[in-house]
Amino acid sequence: MATKPKIRELLDESACAHNKTKTAGCNKTVPGATTGGCAFEGSQISLFPYADAAHLVHGPITCVGASWETRLTRTSWQGRDMTQMGFTTGISTNDVVFGGEEKLRQSIDYIVGHYAPQAVFVYSTCVTAMIGDDIDAVCRQAQQDHGIPMVPVHAPGFVGGKNLGSRLAGEAVLTHLIGTLEPEETTPFDINLIGDYNVTGDMWQYAPLLKELGIRILSTLSGDGRVARIRTAHRAHLNVLVCAKSLISLPRKLKEKYGIPFISVSFYGKRDTSASILAIAEGLGDADLIARTKQLIAREEARLEERLAPYREIFRGKKAVLNTGGNKSWSIASALQDLGIEVVATSVKKSTQVDKEKARKYLGEKGVLMTNPGAEQAKIIDQTGADLLLAGGRSLYTAIKKKIAFADVNQEKKKSYGGYEGLLNLAEDLKNALENPVFKNVARRAPWEK
Amino acid sequence: MGEISHKIEKPLQINPIRLSQPMGAALAFLGIDGCMPLMHGGMGCTSFTKVFLTRHFCEPIAIQTTAVTDVTAILDGGDSSIVEAVHNITKKVTPSLVGLHTTGLTETKGDDIRGAAKQVDFPMVYVHTADYEGGLESGWGKTVKAIIEQLVEERSQVQSDKVVLLPHVSMQPIEVEKLKDFIALFGLEVVALPDLSTSLDGHLGEKQSALSSGGVKVEAIVSMADAATVISVGASMQLSAEALLKKNAAMRHIHMDHVQGLVATDALVEQLLALTGMEQPPASVVRWRKRLQDVMLDSHFSLGQTRVMVTGEPDFVAGACELLSEAGARISVALSTVDSPQLEAINAAKVMVGDLEDAEKLQAEYDLIVGSMHAEALAHRFGKALVLRGFPCWEIVGNQLKNDLLYEGGAYFLCETANAAEAMRMGSHD
């Protein structure tokens, strides 16, 4: 049953616009000039939000020792939240020499015995892939013995970057989970959410609206996800891809295998949230649902506008530089514009062709699309007199140096900026950032520095 | 001393506190000015390390990767990606040193890093730091040893007032600075290797760089063997001190397992007095000793009824346990990330190498935890007091400014711990 996914085939993603460029696929790494994460990290990001499953990392301590409890992926699972736990075989020299399969098997038995998970995901890593441990065979045997799904995930770090890792994770779920269980009941409005990991509860900003419309989230990959639910994902009527790129192979394959259509959406900002909810309704193709959705959007937008009014004055004439990845290049830009902030530049370093086109559309001809934001952003802040930098934590120091306000919009963010409610969170954080006197104060010269 | 267990009996680690050798190596290289730590492995090893240290220190962290891929993992002997990485970076910046260290991946491949170092035109130190051996502390220790062996020039003369300080990995930047200042109070000139006190101490850097900024200068390392005295702190630094002594037979070695608490600080002062021929320590040292004694008395009511678990790197655990024990705290569990000869000397009822699952099983045996952010969930679940120390502490700021050493730091640490214990007891009576 367990066939290792073919990496070349995954890199050659027909639904990914990258393929049209000459740097085929997403696998290019440059020694000394690469700062991103690895395939293992990508698989971890994609699957760890299943809080009801144990995530066993078969490798040396670096892989999970430095990375457990890092992301605020929230869950409503009532049992122990295994997203916030680290499980690792923590292999030693002895395992490298003699192989780690026995240790892996014992580790799985220990986890099942002590934590009763709904499934165990087993992640190979650089070292255990290199020494040739057969995690497929170990998983197959353990699944037979314990009667719960054991999912081997073949995304050792050296095969590529985070994106490829996410795809490999999707591949593991497709091969080992989806279609292995029938749902207890189905509705005409069953959808799967793919690619929203519910970081800081992003998913919960819009899920209640879908529920109000009678749209049921049958399963997710993987925010607030359940193993039992993703096993039934083949019965959904629509796949909704929330992140535009990293998991794109999965809905494409689900379409080929089960005939489920898919759409790609974003829930950042007012316009995109509205457009996405409508796209879901239209994707389900029910005239009454579409009409009700339009009403709901009108109601929510009016409510949001009223609550945003006090912020509009503060944001008038303010300029922002945005340095983030993937679809956030344009989706956060659109959210900022919804707040009345001018976006003068955005990073497209990690964006697809489609993302770049969208970014151009949102920013207009004048907007700068940065291909090397690390080097460009400081200059652009100077040139444009930008007031705000929105980026990941590592760019914080650029903002501090430039003495302008900063907001973290990447994985270390503490609050959700998704949906209508999230836009209010973003407005509040940006207001606080702009009004904070700290940048002026740290720029003060010492009395002895004339 | 209580029972000691040197290894984890389970097949796996659950909620691990162990950290990797390459991470310790990278951190050591960050204590050298203008250094480019270059991790030879998959890019995730570097990315995880960079995010980890950035969040802990709230500082930009300069680390580069050789970005080993499936193709280079199989076909390449390791040298081309190293040479290419150095080439790519030095197009933009000029490092004073390239700090090349391996990972599990490249150790499994068996790359010839010594050979690669020969092809690089910049000063380079290479060190083997497989992450399936040792941990953060040994990675740091091995790196300091390699730096000494490969950079320090041999000498035969000494400068009588010059001291080399070799701090262990768990000494915060401010602690390195405080210890340097303390030794300098005795009229001595101190060079620390590595020196995080000037690189990761939270200063506003002039510019964000691919290189470390602040830290000990490479020239100062090269000429280090003319110091009359080397002071190593922590069992993990013994080998580094021995390597330095080989560079100059006239050097004298003072080893301290730690410099926490009254007894250890007294011992250091005694050594420094003997070294300098002074009869009395400087007045501020005398004052802080009295303050520590006073705090020990003030905090003993609370600490004397508190059962403590201390977790972290072995050298850190040894020092913290000693300091707390002196004020009467009962150390029921000392939980170390890895095995170390230091464990034999730790003052605790139970000393073990383990993970936070072990700590969870033992939760009936302690009231207060001294440990990293990963202990927070544990403390919360079982209503324990928590004093955040060690790696990583992400959700708090000011890690680099926490000083627990010598008379002064000891006084602050005992106050903080006693207050945490009391707050917990108040909370439990709600």
Side-chain angles (χ1 to χ4, degrees), chain A residues 419-434:
Chain A
Y420 302 117
E421 286 295 320
L423 190 59
L424 282 160
N425 287 340
L426 180 64
E428 179 64 19
D429 281 0
L430 294 181
K431 168 182 168 282
N432 289 338
L434 284 167

Side-chain angles (χ1 to χ4, degrees), chain B residues 4-10 13 17-18 314 334-340 343 350-355 358:
Chain B
I4 302 178
S5 61
H6 287 278
K7 59 175 195 184
I8 290 186
E9 299 299 334
K10 296 178 290 200
Q13 294 205 31
I17 51 171
R18 198 183 135 207
L335 183 66
S336 174
T337 50
V338 289
D339 195 12
S340 154
L343 300 193
K350 187 178 278 162
V351 181
M352 59 192 290
V353 174
D355 56 27
D358 299 323

Side-chain angles (χ1 to χ4, degrees), chain B residues 177-228:
Chain B
E177 178 172 309
K178 291 280 182 183
L179 185 51
K180 274 164 65 186
D181 288 352
F182 189 86
I183 298 167
L185 282 172
F186 290 79
L188 297 162
E189 180 204 333
V190 194
V191 185
L193 176 71
D195 195 349
L196 294 183
S197 77
T198 44
S199 64
L200 289 179
D201 67 335
H203 64 282
L204 265 177
E206 285 301 304
K207 56 176 193 164
Q208 206 173 333
S209 165
L211 307 175
S212 62
S213 80
V216 60
K217 297 241 186 279
V218 171
E219 308 89 82
I221 300 172
V222 172
S223 63
M224 208 163 245
D226 64 356

Side-chain angles (χ1 to χ4, degrees), chain A residues 57-65 88-91 125 127-128, chain B residues 104-105 131-132:
Chain A
V57 179
H58 186 38
I61 194 69
T62 308
C63 308
V64 88
T88 180
T89 52
I91 59 156
T125 60
V127 174
T128 52
Chain B
L105 170 61
D131 51 4
Y132 45 77

Side-chain angles (χ1 to χ4, degrees), chain A residues 7-8 27 29-41 44 56 60-71 80 84-93 96 103 106-107 110-111 114-115 126-127 130-131 157-162 393-395 397-398 400-401 411-412 414 442, chain B residues 10-23 38 42-45 47-52 54-55 57-60 64-71 73-74 81 84-85 88-89 92 104-105 108-109 131-133 204-208 356-357 360-361 373-375 377 381 394-395:
Chain A
I7 288 163
R8 293 290 150 217
N27 203 27
T29 57
V30 183
T34 301
T35 51
C38 64
F40 161 69
E41 189 181 355
Q44 176 190 53
L56 175 59
I61 194 69
T62 308
C63 308
V64 88
S67 70
W68 68 283
E69 263 192 321
T70 49
R71 286 163 69 92
R80 182 132 184 212
Q84 303 303 340
M85 292 181 71
F87 294 94
T88 180
T89 52
I91 59 156
S92 64
T93 310
V96 172
K103 193 174 190 183
Q106 288 170 3
S107 299
Y110 185 98
I111 290 170
H114 288 76
Y115 294 92
C126 292
V127 174
M130 192 127 188
I131 62 176
F158 59 59
V159 300
K162 280 200 268 190
R394 275 180 291 183
S395 290
Y397 307 97
T398 304
I400 285 182
K401 256 171 50 197
Q411 55 179 323
E412 288 108 23
K414 303 287 189 298
V442 294
Chain B
K10 296 178 290 200
L12 76 170
Q13 294 205 31
I14 297 176
N15 295 346
I17 51 171
R18 198 183 135 207
L19 294 164
S20 79
Q21 283 207 135
M23 211 186 271
L38 177 59
M43 56 187 178
C45 307
S47 170
F48 279 137
T49 301
K50 189 168 181 133
V51 171
F52 185 96
T54 301
R55 289 180 76 178
F57 288 104
C58 301
E59 297 299 327
Q64 303 290 341
T65 174
T66 59
V68 173
T69 62
D70 49 352
V71 177
I74 295 157
S81 60
E84 193 187 337
N88 282 332
I89 298 152
K92 289 170 260 175
L105 170 61
T108 310
K109 282 173 69 186
D131 51 4
Y132 45 77
E133 288 170 358
L204 265 177
E206 285 301 304
K207 56 176 193 164
Q208 206 173 333
L356 290 181
E357 190 204 44
E360 198 174 317
K361 287 182 183 154
M373 179 212 84
H374 285 311
R381 204 158 64 247
W394 283 332
E395 307 310 333

